[in-house]
Amino acid sequence: MNIKRKLMMRFVLQLATAEAFAFLIAAVTFFWAYQRLVDIRLSNDFASTGLEQLVASSEIGKDGIHFDPLLLEQVKKNGGWLQSLDENGQVNQSYNTPQDVPKKYAPGEFVSYWTGTRSFPYGLSLWVQEKDGRTFTLLYGQPNPMGTLLKTVSSQGTLSSNGKLILPHEVTARLKQLGGYIQLLDATGSELASYNRPTSAPTAYTLQELSLRTMYSERYGFHLSSEYMEETGRTWVISLPNAGGVATGNSWLPPEEERTILKSIVAMFSAIFLLFLLLSLWQAHRFGVPLLHMLSWLDALGKSVYQEPVDHRGIQRSRLGSGKWKRRYLIFADVMDSIDKLSGTLQRDQVLRQQTDSLREEWIAGITHDLKTPLVSIKGYAHLLAEPQYDWTAEEVRKFSGTMLEKSAHMDMLINDLAMSYRLKSGARPPESEEIELNSWLRETLERVGTDPFL
């Protein structure tokens, strides 16, 4: 498999792995956000969400019905209680139920508690569902101090002649304990008197504002309940702070559900960003290190260093102790082998060139020595001919001159060989020569010129 296909398969595989991890992170984030939103709904409104889940997750055994322990724990966290009723109103099972809650309900009694026509210290929610051939009736209750206080105030509270509210002692003590307040409004919605009202609470209500504060208590930080007195046209208003104690309309923080979604989005994108950052660092370590190593190797070749670069311990970075390629270098094994072969070839060429240079130097030294021998002969015969005390005959002069010419020709040949070696070293090639018969060549040239007047 060539390096192109290896790299393509490696990058495709890594990209697919990164996408799989990104999808996994997104799935985990969405699952966490969904579970968190369910928990928030269970905490804020268990009656509309938790009762259905209790029935759906319940199991029927020999000893009766069994509910999900986590949902039962949520009931306890909310300060509520749970009862399972049969068709006759008898309580089969109960969880976290206070002592003042009945163990059996008559039909009319139960409906009066549920609709609020009869005083009951708890707010009730009912869920009726058939499962496995049996009808389940679940009754969920939570403390309802607002309803009890409102009933007491509307029946026993009065307005004094000096414009102050006269309330039972247990009502005022309970209001201070809970941090709530009471207002008495006239027929137009304006406040006649109040008790423990904070400065942020309005002193007059329009129809719309009173309705919105009753329906959307989380926006204002207070649960509001009111009772209209038909005979006087007045309205009793009681407000108790929310569990969080902060109005979402006045807080710079978004609601808890929106915060959960924002947290999940930030966490998801942060995890994906961290994933791709780690992947980039891994890619740089996995592919960048071998590439930098090969570039360093090529740079060393350009500087006539024909050995693979080593680390500070003198060990080759790309190989194991056994001489095999390390894992990160395997994908570039073909390229590394080519560079290794190139290094070997260049190293052999360098050795051969050094040997050639050494032989040439030795040869030049030999030529220098050989030049001295004929030069000595020429110099000696020249001294003999130049001495005036000798009277050489013509025959002896010709003999001496012939020897000097022979030695000069030999020196000329040696000098030509030396010049040729320097031309070869500088890269200049000698002219190519060919031996021809000059008479026939000249005859053919003259005949060709004679037959062609344009030449």
Side-chain angles (χ1 to χ4, degrees):
M1 186 183 297
N2 57 26
I3 188 171
K4 178 181 178 181
R5 184 169 297 180
K6 286 181 180 179
L7 289 174
M8 182 181 68
M9 292 185 62
R10 183 65 60 87
F11 284 120
V12 169
L13 179 61
Q14 290 175 0
L15 183 60
T17 303
E19 290 178 350
F21 274 105
F23 281 122
L24 179 62
I25 291 172
V28 171
T29 304
F30 288 142
F31 178 77
W32 175 85
Y34 173 76
Q35 291 294 328
R36 181 59 184 155
L37 291 175
V38 170
D39 293 340
I40 294 173
R41 290 186 62 189
L42 290 176
S43 178
N44 294 339
D45 191 8
F46 187 86
S48 61
T49 305
L51 293 180
E52 182 181 4
Q53 293 189 20
L54 273 173
V55 176
S57 62
S58 63
E59 297 180 357
I60 300 176
K62 295 181 179 179
D63 53 346
I65 187 171
H66 299 279
F67 298 108
D68 186 353
L70 296 177
L71 293 176
L72 293 179
E73 186 65 24
Q74 187 63 49
V75 171
K76 188 175 182 179
K77 287 182 180 179
N78 291 354
W81 49 269
L82 191 68
Q83 286 182 328
S84 176
L85 310 179
D86 61 12
E87 291 83 352
N88 300 319
Q90 182 67 39
V91 176
N92 292 330
Q93 290 184 356
S94 62
Y95 178 77
N96 201 39
T97 306
Q99 295 295 329
D100 57 347
V101 177
K103 301 297 188 293
K104 180 178 174 60
Y105 299 88
E109 178 187 15
F110 174 77
V111 173
S112 64
Y113 289 152
W114 184 36
T115 58
T117 57
R118 186 175 179 181
S119 178
F120 197 67
Y122 303 96
L124 298 179
S125 299
L126 183 65
W127 188 272
V128 181
Q129 182 173 334
E130 184 177 350
K131 181 179 181 180
D132 298 335
R134 295 180 59 181
T135 302
F136 293 91
T137 303
L138 293 181
L139 185 62
Y140 173 73
Q142 280 184 305
N144 185 24
M146 182 176 291
T148 304
L149 291 173
L150 187 60
K151 288 290 184 183
T152 304
V153 168
S154 61
S155 60
Q156 301 181 22
T158 58
L159 180 65
S160 65
S161 58
N162 58 358
K164 292 186 177 181
L165 289 178
I166 301 176
L167 302 173
H169 176 71
E170 63 272 13
V171 172
T172 56
R174 185 64 171 163
L175 282 174
K176 288 183 178 180
Q177 179 185 4
L178 297 176
Y181 62 94
I182 291 178
Q183 293 175 294
L184 180 61
L185 309 179
D186 60 14
T188 63
S190 299
E191 180 184 292
L192 295 174
S194 64
Y195 176 79
N196 203 37
R197 177 180 60 82
T199 55
S200 59
T203 57
Y205 296 87
T206 62
L207 182 148
Q208 292 80 8
E209 185 173 8
L210 187 61
S211 302
L212 291 173
R213 285 180 175 269
T214 302
M215 295 175 62
Y216 305 105
S217 58
E218 67 276 1
R219 295 184 181 179
Y220 304 96
F222 282 86
H223 288 281
L224 185 145
S225 183
S226 60
E227 184 172 347
Y228 177 70
M229 312 299 294
E230 188 174 357
E231 62 276 7
T232 61
R234 296 174 177 176
T235 302
W236 287 97
V237 176
I238 183 170
S239 298
L240 298 178
N242 294 337
V246 178
T248 58
N250 299 326
S251 174
W252 62 273
L253 291 174
E256 190 172 5
E257 292 86 350
E258 295 182 10
R259 292 202 303 270
T260 299
I261 295 175
L262 290 176
K263 287 179 182 178
S264 62
I265 293 175
V266 171
M268 180 180 66
F269 281 105
S270 299
I272 292 176
F273 173 77
L274 180 61
L275 170 66
F276 280 94
L277 178 62
L278 294 176
L279 180 62
S280 301
L281 294 176
W282 183 83
Q283 289 276 27
H285 177 74
R286 189 74 173 177
F287 297 100
V289 171
L291 289 174
L292 290 176
H293 179 71
M294 289 187 290
L295 290 176
S296 300
W297 196 349
L298 292 174
D299 183 63
L301 293 180
K303 296 177 181 178
S304 300
V305 179
Y306 305 118
Q307 299 292 334
E308 183 178 354
V310 295
D311 57 13
H312 63 281
R313 298 173 297 176
I315 302 175
Q316 293 178 345
R317 295 186 177 92
S318 62
R319 298 182 185 271
L320 299 171
S322 60
K324 296 182 178 179
W325 297 111
K326 291 183 179 179
R327 187 174 181 181
R328 79 177 70 164
Y329 293 88
L330 279 176
I331 193 170
F332 300 104
D334 296 339
V335 179
M336 300 283 283
D337 286 332
S338 299
I339 298 177
D340 191 32
K341 292 178 181 178
L342 177 61
S343 298
T345 302
L346 293 176
Q347 189 173 17
R348 287 192 299 271
D349 291 344
Q350 184 186 38
V351 173
L352 182 60
R353 185 170 58 254
Q354 290 175 350
Q355 292 176 351
T356 303
D357 291 340
S358 177
L359 291 174
R360 186 177 65 251
E361 294 298 329
E362 293 177 1
W363 181 74
I364 292 174
I367 289 179
T368 304
H369 179 269
D370 292 342
L371 282 172
K372 291 182 179 180
T373 302
L375 183 61
V376 170
S377 299
I378 295 173
K379 188 177 180 181
Y381 284 114
H383 278 294
L384 289 174
L385 293 173
E387 285 294 330
Q389 59 181 346
Y390 295 107
D391 188 14
W392 303 106
T393 64
E395 182 66 26
E396 288 176 331
V397 171
R398 283 195 296 272
K399 183 178 179 181
F400 291 163
S401 300
T403 303
M404 293 173 66
L405 287 174
E406 180 184 353
K407 298 300 182 181
S408 298
H410 182 59
M411 287 181 64
D412 184 62
M413 182 186 66
L414 293 176
I415 292 173
N416 289 333
D417 290 343
L418 184 61
M420 179 65 69
S421 67
Y422 280 105
R423 284 198 298 269
L424 291 175
K425 184 178 181 181
S426 62
R429 298 181 62 185
E432 296 182 359
S433 60
E434 182 183 358
E435 185 177 353
I436 62 174
E437 207 286 316
L438 187 58
N439 292 328
S440 60
W441 175 81
L442 184 58
R443 187 185 306 110
E444 292 176 359
T445 302
L446 292 174
E447 290 176 356
R448 189 166 59 252
V449 171
T451 57
D452 191 351
F454 295 100
L455 292 178

